[in-house]
Amino acid sequence: MVYHSPYSTPDGTPLAPEVVEASTPWSDVLLEDLRTTIQFNPPIRLIRKYGYGPHKTRFRGWGKALWLSLFVVVGIWWAFLRQQDEGYRSEKKMVENLPALDGLQFIDANHPYIRYVGRWLATADKTHKDGSFPGVYFDFALNGSSTVLISLRNSERQNQPSTKDSRTVSSTLPFLPLTNTSSAAPISLLVRIDDEEYLVLPNATSVVSICRGNLSPNLRHEIRIIAPMVGSDSVETLQIEGIWIDDGGQLLPYQSSPSTADPFSQQTKDTAQRRMLEIVTDLSGSIAGKDRRKNTGTSRGILGGVMGWEYLLGEMFGSDHVTIGNDGMCLIPDCIGGRGSPAGLADVFFQSGPAGSEQYSHPWFFQEYTPDVIVMNIGSSDWDSFQTHTQEYNKTLWELSVIFEETYVTMIQAIRALAYPKYSSATMDSSRYIYSAQNAAAGVPIFIMRPFRGQLEQATHAVVDRLRRDGDKSVFWLDTSGWLNTEVDFDGRAEDQDFFLDEERATKQWVLTERGNQRVAILLHNHVCRYLAREVDKCAFLPPEIYLGRALDHDAIRLNECLEDEKERKLKKLFWN
């Protein structure tokens, strides 16, 4: 029997689906069964009782959401499994590509005949040594081996724990050794064997082959490993675990290494000790390899690590050289736009690594060496920040230059008092240092350079004047005006320029070219010769007057700057009030 709704039309469908009178109860009816029922017009009361139309739509929405959630979960799980599989394949490939270690012996990184230059820290578990300042390097000499491999903790997969047995270390205090057992990112290296050309090792990790059967085992060979750290703006770290050489090979003392009588004693100064040069700069010459006009590949950029003026200057004398600082880092703290901010060079100098590295949290205790001379070239990054962010500082350029000057003076005074204090010849304990400067009793000479493009010239000159008036006669000002050609011909040859514009940075910066670096190193050579040369009598005589610079009236200069700033303030207030 069929009941026709008054709302039904002969040609239209009913407002609700028809239901068979002999159907099973609602709880026993499947949704798929309800979609294939016999069509006839149901009573109106059935519509009110079951409300089938709205329920059908609601369940369909739930089904779609459930299926979508299921697909999402399955997709995430599949991506996770794939990532694990790729990691396994990468690790397997890395293991398969490792050089064979059969017939080789392992020399630990803490061996006394490995000579580390720069600021290095050993981990508490003694598994590796870390260095994070650009240009850190280590030397070693050997014979009896034709093969040399180096073992690095650096890995493509960071945060991997050490594979060696290590002691459990819970110390986190800054004066204790590093507790880092994870792997740093791959790092590009330069290798020099004897006096041959540099070998480039891009993105080195794990066990790296330096030479395989190429060395004469009957000869003495000297090898240097350098970490230029010119790959990116991020902080890099070289983690060295040790060296692999032939079973019959041995490491030899490297000039200023410990005596053979007691190979594990502390290094002491001998007659053949190398001199030490320390450079503090915010304009590293190693970026010369990034000049696009001459850059022909990755190797060229890495080789920039040995083309900078700071590296060339040390190599001219055969002396050791340490560079403190990062390119683009300001002297003052809280420098807007400066690299490593809020830390500044005045802070970094007293730490074991650059800002952003684990070593930065560890103070440097100045126990490893006392430099024979310090060269400081600071001010380029500060000036760029002052000019670009004047509004954010809410200070005039003169006020900012005064802050720069005060920070510079405070830093030099702290170096004298804390880092390399003066000692009398009677009370000085030279055994405290691996490198002990010959003139430490008189104070380490410090050369403060005028920035190459003349930025903050008056401020740097005022720093030296103030320090010398206070009795520090071992600080000198180097007038670099005329050293370099600051004019750049963008259409000219790269070989004829002293600067190029580094456009890869957020704030474009002028950087020294290869020619510019060479000119700076040659001109600096005359000034530091008497402190670094082995035969001082062959150095050119330079009268003390050249370090006094032009006679400057700083009060008059500041008065003029103050008047110019006041004029600028009034003009801004007049037009942009």
Side-chain angles (χ1 to χ4, degrees):
M1 180 175 179
V2 179
Y3 175 79
H4 294 277
S5 171
Y7 299 100
S8 303
T9 59
D11 298 327
T13 56
L15 295 179
E18 294 88 356
V19 182
V20 180
E21 290 183 351
S23 61
T24 57
W26 177 261
S27 59
D28 298 331
V29 177
L30 298 177
L31 294 177
E32 294 296 331
D33 296 338
L34 292 177
R35 295 176 63 182
T36 57
T37 56
I38 301 175
Q39 294 184 359
F40 64 93
N41 295 331
I44 296 178
R45 57 184 178 84
L46 292 177
I47 297 175
R48 296 196 186 101
K49 182 176 181 180
Y50 300 111
Y52 176 73
H55 279 284
K56 180 176 180 182
T57 304
R58 188 181 305 139
F59 280 121
R60 281 184 177 178
W62 290 352
K64 290 180 180 179
L66 290 173
W67 279 108
L68 180 60
S69 301
L70 181 61
F71 280 129
V72 170
V73 172
V74 171
I76 295 175
W77 179 252
W78 177 79
F80 174 76
L81 292 179
R82 185 174 181 180
Q83 182 179 6
Q84 292 292 325
D85 183 61
E86 289 179 355
Y88 169 75
R89 291 182 181 179
S90 175
E91 187 173 353
K92 181 179 179 182
K93 183 179 179 181
M94 183 172 58
V95 173
E96 291 175 351
N97 293 335
L98 289 178
L101 302 178
D102 297 336
L104 301 179
Q105 60 172 318
F106 181 73
I107 307 296
D108 190 82
N110 296 286
H111 194 281
Y113 287 168
I114 301 178
R115 198 175 63 94
Y116 295 91
V117 180
R119 298 191 178 183
W120 294 80
L121 285 184
T123 54
D125 55 9
K126 303 298 183 182
T127 58
H128 57 95
K129 282 193 172 185
D130 295 358
S132 293
F133 275 118
V136 294
Y137 62 91
F138 63 93
D139 299 323
F140 59 93
L142 76 162
N143 66 4
S145 177
S146 61
T147 298
V148 176
L149 313 176
I150 57 173
S151 178
L152 305 177
R153 179 62 59 84
N154 299 75
S155 173
E156 294 181 358
R157 301 184 65 189
Q158 285 81 58
N159 301 323
Q160 294 297 310
S162 172
T163 56
K164 297 183 179 181
D165 294 334
S166 60
R167 300 193 303 267
T168 301
V169 181
S170 59
S171 59
T172 57
L173 298 176
F175 56 83
L176 294 176
L178 289 173
T179 59
N180 180 27
T181 59
S182 61
S183 299
I187 187 168
S188 298
L189 303 175
L190 292 171
V191 180
R192 186 181 68 190
I193 302 176
D194 298 327
D195 292 328
E196 298 179 3
E197 294 183 354
Y198 288 95
L199 303 177
V200 180
L201 303 177
N203 299 320
T205 60
S206 190
V207 180
V208 183
S209 177
I210 302 300
C211 52
R212 192 82 183 192
N214 300 332
L215 295 180
S216 173
N218 298 323
L219 299 177
R220 171 192 172 97
H221 299 281
E222 295 184 353
I223 299 178
R224 171 170 292 184
I225 312 294
I226 310 166
M229 301 182 186
V230 295
S232 63
D233 291 335
S234 60
V235 176
E236 300 180 75
T237 301
L238 172 59
Q239 299 177 320
I240 175 70
E241 293 181 333
I243 306 169
W244 292 91
I245 62 175
D246 292 339
D247 283 335
Q250 61 177 346
L251 294 189
L252 303 175
Y254 194 100
Q255 293 188 13
S256 60
S257 295
S259 61
T260 55
D262 187 4
F264 294 96
S265 64
Q266 185 183 17
Q267 295 183 8
T268 57
K269 184 177 69 173
D270 56 25
T271 57
Q273 176 181 309
R274 297 161 66 98
R275 302 294 179 88
M276 172 65 74
L277 165 68
E278 187 169 65
I279 294 176
V280 185
T281 182
D282 64 338
L283 187 62
S284 174
S286 60
I287 309 180
K290 291 186 177 182
D291 191 351
R292 292 183 176 180
R293 296 173 297 177
K294 297 188 65 175
N295 198 343
T296 57
T298 304
S299 298
R300 184 75 180 184
I302 300 173
L303 282 170
V306 294
M307 294 189 294
W309 61 272
E310 59 271 42
Y311 190 91
L312 294 175
L313 182 61
E315 291 300 297
M316 285 181 176
F317 298 99
S319 62
D320 287 323
H321 39 88
V322 178
T323 300
I324 306 300
N326 282 103
D327 192 71
M329 176 174 287
C330 300
L331 170 68
I332 66 171
D334 299 314
C335 177
I336 301 175
R339 183 175 182 178
S341 186
L345 275 174
D347 304 310
V348 171
F349 183 84
F350 296 93
Q351 304 305 122
S352 299
S357 66
E358 184 187 359
Q359 290 79 5
Y360 178 73
S361 61
H362 293 259
W364 182 250
F365 292 111
F366 302 95
Q367 299 288 323
E368 300 298 322
Y369 63 86
T370 298
D372 292 276
V373 61
I374 300 176
V375 177
M376 308 185 76
N377 178 32
I378 305 172
S380 299
S381 301
D382 295 84
W383 178 254
D384 291 341
S385 175
F386 296 164
Q387 278 199 319
T388 307
H389 304 282
T390 306
Q391 297 295 333
E392 290 88 336
Y393 282 113
N394 196 25
K395 290 180 173 63
T396 64
L397 289 177
W398 176 73
E399 292 173 329
L400 292 171
S401 66
V402 171
I403 296 175
F404 173 84
E405 178 185 328
E406 293 293 337
T407 306
Y408 217 149
V409 170
T410 303
M411 179 182 179
I412 302 298
Q413 292 173 343
I415 290 175
R416 294 296 193 206
L418 303 176
Y420 311 120
K422 296 181 181 180
Y423 293 95
S424 66
S425 56
T427 60
M428 179 177 176
D429 182 14
S430 61
S431 63
R432 162 188 174 192
Y433 301 98
I434 293 177
Y435 296 90
S436 179
Q438 296 180 354
N439 55 352
V444 177
I446 300 177
F447 288 90
I448 295 180
M449 301 178 66
R450 165 190 176 269
F452 295 129
R453 297 182 67 87
Q455 313 96 314
L456 296 170
E457 175 181 352
Q458 289 79 16
T460 57
H461 194 284
V463 169
V464 176
D465 280 352
R466 290 177 55 180
L467 291 171
R468 293 183 69 87
R469 284 199 304 266
D470 292 341
D472 190 345
K473 302 302 181 181
S474 295
V475 60
F476 310 98
W477 187 67
L478 280 182
D479 185 3
T480 62
S481 56
W483 284 22
L484 302 169
N485 182 12
T486 57
E487 299 294 331
V488 177
D489 182 4
F490 291 95
D491 297 328
R493 298 192 313 161
E495 293 81 1
D496 299 333
Q497 314 293 329
D498 290 334
F499 290 91
F500 74 93
L501 190 62
D502 185 6
E503 300 180 357
E504 295 182 359
R505 304 188 182 191
T507 57
K508 298 179 181 180
Q509 185 175 5
W510 293 105
V511 180
L512 290 173
T513 61
E514 289 185 35
R515 192 184 85 159
N517 279 289
Q518 292 169 5
R519 296 183 68 174
V520 170
I522 292 172
L523 292 169
L524 269 175
H525 178 277
N526 293 329
H527 298 281
V528 299
C529 181
R530 52 180 170 162
Y531 304 106
L532 298 178
R534 294 175 181 173
E535 299 180 11
V536 181
D537 54 346
K538 294 184 178 181
C539 296
F541 172 75
L542 298 177
E545 290 77 14
I546 67 171
Y547 300 114
L548 301 180
R550 299 184 299 273
L552 300 177
D553 187 346
H554 296 287
D555 293 334
I557 291 174
R558 289 180 177 175
L559 177 61
N560 291 333
E561 291 178 348
C562 184
L563 294 175
E564 291 294 331
D565 290 336
E566 186 63 23
K567 185 187 298 182
E568 183 181 355
R569 282 177 181 268
K570 290 183 177 180
L571 288 174
K572 288 182 178 180
K573 184 177 181 180
L574 179 63
F575 292 101
W576 296 287
N577 187 12

